[in-house]
Each structure stands twice: as structure tokens, then as C-alpha cells.
Amino acid sequence: MPRLSEVIAELDALWPPGRAEGWDAVGTVCGDPGAEIDRVLFAVDPVERIADEARALGAQLIVTHHPLYLRGTTTVAASTFKGRVVHGLIKHDIALHVAHTNADTADPGVSDALAGALGLRVTGPLVPDASDPEGRRGLGRVCELDHPETLRDFAARAAARLPATAQGIRLAGDPDATVRRVAVSGGSGDSLFDAVRAAGVDAFLTADLRHHPASEAVQHSPLGLVDAAHWATEWPWCEQAAAQLDAISDRHGWGLRVHVSKQVTDPWTTHHSSGAPN
């Protein structure tokens, strides 16, 4: 049975903390390096429901994509919801490890998992990592469809293949436009429009598209926009990352039992609409 320090060393090799953005907060949040690990849970968000699930499973390690404390804190008091998470984890000897922007740009990374869930063929990163001589790492991915389809059908593909959320899939652009090449970026992607236009794709699938950037993008070009829930675009990474750790466990003979949380931790819970405008 491996020690936490051994498992973390392998996770850091997959997603080196030094490749995270300067503003990010990645790495091990809590946990005894000498503790023995035989069960791991992957999830997007380090919320109480995920900590409860880990405890019910008997997992000694949770790996999440989102940080618990992104902007730092002066307290972990149990009177705060994040403090309650910390108290619960420590009380039940559960470690927490975060791979965020260092997993976004990895090879394979978050957007590779998103492309895989959508059945797309990746041709390269949308924003290449200049430090990667092979040109495989970077933010987002440029992809090709096996066969052209309408933007409407591509949005339907996303709705069918990504985990269901209250938001569903929003579409901007001509629904009958033909889509052959697309860009995808897990998580918030409206800072990437310049790179998306430069890539010459027909559509861009991402999350958290704000009104003004989206409005400017559709006025700028015939680019189709497909906006999914943030959680839904990043959840496929959990399955990809779990498979990577499974392979590492097999190689070392660790016998780890690796789980992926199926809980929907997207904050939006219901959706009401009188129908799309004409």
C-alpha cells in the first residue's frame, strides 16, 4: 500500500505544480505524507458533499480540479463552509490534492478529456505552451469532426455526451451553419476569443460565456458558440485522471481503488424558460 507522499509524487509528475498559473492554488491542501492510501476519489469541486462521499467510500485521498482556497484565507474555523471541509477531512484522515491550471494545460489535459467526451479528434492546443518543444501542451484544443454537421447538431452532440446540468447547452450563431473544425476549452473560455478566431474554426465550445464577449464574438465573425455548464466541461477530466492513476497503480503494483464522483456539484440546480425568442 503506497504512502500519500508516493501518490502525490506521481500526481505531481502528471501535473507539475510549476506549470500552474501564478494566481492559482494547486497541490496538497491537507494530509499526512506518511499516511497509507488504498482508495482515491476524483471530483471537480472540493465541497462538503464530496468530502462526505469520500468518507462513505473509505477513501483516504480526494483529488479535485478546483482549489478549496483560491485566494487564501486567515481562518479555517468550522463556522465557515470551507473550514468545515478542512475540519472534516482532517478528522477523518482524508487528504485533499488539487490540480487546476496545471491540469488544464497538461498533455493530456482537461480539454483533451472534453474533446474525447465529444468524440472529436484533437489536432493541437488552442494556445500552445511555449515551453513545450513538441507543441502538445497548452490551453484549450483545436479539433476536427469525423464528418461535417450543422451547428445545431453539434450542440445536440454536446447535450447528449456531456453530463446533464440545469443550464444545459446554449447556442449562438446560425444553427444551420456547417461545422468541420472546432475549438474546445474546459471551464471559463471567453478570454480565448482572439486565439479561437486565429485558429480558423467554425465553432467554439466552452463554459461561462459572458454577455459582452459573446455578443462581440458573434458580431465579429460567423463563429458558432456553444456554451455548456462549467462543471460539465471539466467533469470528463476526472475520468481521464482516474484512468491515469489506475495505470500508475498497476505499474507499481499498488492495488489502488480509484473512484470518480458522479455527484453534480454545478451550483445551478433548476432552469426555467418560457422558450427561446423568435
Side-chain angles (χ1 to χ4, degrees), residues 46 54 92 186 194 214 218 227 233 253:
H92 297 284
D194 287 345
V218 297
D227 184 46
T233 64

Side-chain angles (χ1 to χ4, degrees), residues 102-162:
N102 49 331
D104 286 333
T105 58
D107 172 33
V110 170
S111 293
D112 290 295
L114 175 57
L118 295 169
L120 305 175
R121 184 172 63 257
V122 173
T123 61
L126 177 62
V127 182
D129 182 343
S131 69
D132 177 17
E134 297 183 3
R136 297 177 60 88
R137 292 197 309 268
L139 192 60
R141 294 294 184 265
V142 177
C143 310
E144 293 181 349
L145 280 68
D146 287 335
H147 304 285
E149 63 188 32
T150 66
L151 182 60
R152 177 189 291 107
D153 287 342
F154 180 65
R157 174 200 292 244
R161 298 194 181 197
L162 294 180

